[in-house]
Amino acid sequence: MTNVAFITGATSGFGRAAARRFAREGWALVLTGRRFERLEELASELKDQVPVHIAALDVRDSAAVQAVVDALPPAFRGVAALVNNAGLALAPEPAPQVALADWHTMIDTNVTGLVNVTHAILPLLIETGAGASIINIGSVAGEWPYPGSHVYGATKTFVKQFSLNLRCDLLKTGVRVTDIAPGAAETEFTLVRTRGNEAAAAAVYRGTTPLTAEDIADQIVYVATLPPHININRLEIMAQRQAWSPFAVDRDA
Ligand code: NDP
Ligand code: 8X3
């Protein structure tokens, strides 16, 4: 039977690159995201290679998530990889300057949305059993603090711990769980974070060599296609040209 990958946030960045990468491996695809026209474009690009099912989905809406899963055609119910990738950072300003609504949006998407999708797909993954994978996209921001990360980084710490905790509960099911935690990668991520400020987004990547969407897609497919007895718990990946800064110290003038 053909393996099926269910990908959230397939309209851009890591999710779209992962769809293309899974297609090269012959996996059937369930592609979701809010921008339906982008899903249609991707489906028409890939549909000659593999079966593709698309569904407009805002992961924050738990009823909509369940409806999309319930409506999956039989050929797409054998989910062997759930890629929980939909997510975003907003408001890179220091915490006191951030609108509460932006914090809520990050929590609703990166935490509640990821939990919504996981809960809805779990029965299908357990039915698939050995070799099935939940691949959660965390971030280095879930491990390491930096200014302006506030709630974004905290949502990714949730992803890390939720992934580890799920491992415990899924031990006897054969279902694997991995937290892939990338560092800075050039996608639409920073454009979203800067609310469409193209100059500010470009400045983040200028003069360096960030990760690419394809770099992370390679890791996603690698994890999903490992022999069933191997579980990578967490993969933290950074560009060679990104590292940490010294601790900040507040000093009297
Ligand atoms: P992009 O902005 O390129 O892609 C984000 C994807 O998430 C889009 O497909 C978007 O689709 C989707 N999305 C956002 N909100 C929702 C929502 N409410 N419901 C459904 N889909 C949603 O960024 P990346 O590809 O870089 O980001 C993917 C993941 O990787 C995110 O979780 C991000 O936090 C994480 N990450 C990114 C890093 C980076 O430096 N790029 C580094 C570490 C982690 P649409 O708008 O069509 O709904
Ligand atoms: C995003 C990666 O380095 O901007 O999750 O925190 S970074």
Side-chain angles (χ1 to χ4, degrees):
M1 205 163 105
T2 313
N3 285 324
V4 177
F6 186 109
I7 304 175
T8 67
T11 58
S12 174
F14 302 159
R16 183 167 57 192
R20 291 176 172 142
R21 188 70 182 74
F22 273 116
R24 272 170 39 203
E25 301 297 320
W27 286 51
L29 299 168
V30 180
L31 306 177
T32 69
R34 291 169 300 177
R35 287 170 288 181
F36 191 67
E37 65 293 348
R38 288 205 182 188
L39 296 175
E40 288 179 313
E41 281 166 27
L42 190 56
S44 67
E45 174 190 325
L46 300 177
K47 70 178 181 340
D48 292 338
Q49 294 174 56
V50 291
V52 181
H53 176 77
I54 57 175
L57 181 62
D58 186 329
V59 295
R60 295 172 293 180
D61 181 344
S62 62
V65 169
Q66 192 61 56
V68 162
V69 174
D70 290 345
L72 282 178
F76 293 92
R77 299 190 72 81
V79 177
L82 164 60
V83 183
N84 267 324
N85 162 75
L88 79 176
L90 294 170
E93 302 81 26
Q97 298 167 25
V98 177
L100 180 60
D102 285 344
W103 278 357
H104 282 169
T105 300
M106 290 188 275
I107 294 167
D108 292 348
T109 308
N110 303 355
V111 175
T112 307
L114 183 138
V115 163
N116 288 341
V117 178
T118 304
H119 194 270
I121 298 278
L122 252 184
L124 304 186
L125 291 160
I126 291 171
E127 178 73 24
T128 301
S133 306
I134 299 172
I135 300 171
N136 293 328
I137 305 302
S139 170
V140 295
E143 185 73 18
W144 311 104
Y146 63 84
S149 179
H150 38 77
V151 163
Y152 175 67
T155 66
K156 294 304 187 177
T157 307
F158 174 90
V159 173
K160 176 177 71 170
Q161 196 62 32
F162 182 54
S163 304
L164 294 173
N165 292 348
L166 272 179
R167 287 268 291 117
C168 302
D169 290 350
L170 298 179
L171 184 63
K172 290 186 185 300
T173 66
V175 179
R176 306 176 288 185
V177 189
T178 302
D179 168 28
I180 294 186
E186 190 164 6
T187 61
E188 293 176 15
F189 175 82
T190 305
L191 201 57
V192 171
R193 197 174 208 176
T194 60
R195 294 204 179 279
N197 184 333
E198 292 186 7
V204 169
Y205 307 113
R206 186 176 306 125
T208 188
T209 315
L211 297 169
T212 66
E214 291 71 28
D215 295 333
I216 300 307
D218 284 347
Q219 300 304 315
I220 292 169
V221 173
Y222 164 69
V223 165
T225 54
L226 282 166
H229 68 285
I230 302 175
N231 192 111
I232 297 197
N233 299 332
R234 188 160 186 274
L235 258 182
E236 187 178 299
I237 308 156
M238 291 167 84
Q240 187 277 329
R241 297 184 74 187
Q242 183 182 29
W244 304 269
S245 293
F247 286 122
V249 179
D250 181 35
R251 298 183 196 282
D252 296 331

